[in-house]
Every structure is written in C-alpha cells, then in structure tokens.
Amino acid sequence: MEIRKKLKNARIEAGLTQEKAAEKIDVSRQTISNWENEKSYPDIISVIALSDLYSVSLDELLKGNQKMAEHLEESTNVVKSNKKLTGAILLNIILMILLIALNMLLPEGTYYLVIVFCVVIMSSSALLYQIIKRI
C-alpha cells in the first residue's frame, strides 16, 4: 500500500482530522494534506511523530513504499551530504586560487577577473547556505 493511503487510513482510524493531526505534531494542515496526496513526504522526525500519534508501528508505515524509503535515505544520508559539502568547499578553494592566478597573469584582463570573482561569490553563497542549513 502507498504511504499516502497508509497515512490517511491511520489518521482516520485514530479519529483525527488533518487539522487536529497537524496541530498535534506541529505542522500545518496543508503539510498533512501534501503527505496524504504524495505531493511531499514527511521527514524521519515527522514519521516517528505520526507513528506515535496514530499508534502505528514505524515498520507498518514505512515498509513496502519505495518512494518513501528513497526519500528517507536521501534526507538522512550524512556521508553523501558530507561528500557534497566537501566537494563544494574544494570547488570554492579552486575558484579562489584561479582568481588569484588570473590576477597575476592578466593584470589588464579585468573582465575575466570580474567573471571569476562573481562565480566565487555565488559558490561561496551556496556553500554558506549549505553550512547554515546544517546548523
């Protein structure tokens, strides 16, 4: 059975409306609706909260749904996430070295420097966003 049907059936069996369920696990009613319509998937913390709220085992909620398993794998895979962050840091360092090298090699090539500088700023912003998102 699909996760959306499992969530909806469990909520109905628990005698809760979407609004009441949302209130109890501190999300919006629209979020519950999105989960029940597979527009999005709950994170692992929300799945645990739903399991407790609906008095349904995690095993019962999660087994047999490949999309949900993939979503949880992606959202909780720390090693993969750390590799992406490390790659972004290395790319940023390489871009900064390139900026310095171009500055030495092309003293009159200000257009190249401006372009590389903009790329460094954008990658630094993306990197900072990822670091803040982790905190």
Side-chain angles (χ1 to χ4, degrees), residues 54-67:
Y54 299 156
S55 300
V56 175
S57 71
L58 286 171
D59 195 42
E60 192 176 327
L61 277 178
L62 298 176
K63 274 203 172 171
N65 191 302
Q66 187 62 31
K67 286 182 185 177

Side-chain angles (χ1 to χ4, degrees), residues 77-92:
N77 191 336
V78 176
V79 173
K80 189 175 184 180
S81 180
N82 285 343
K83 283 182 182 179
K84 286 181 182 177
L85 191 56
T86 303
I89 290 169
L90 289 174
L91 178 64
N92 209 33

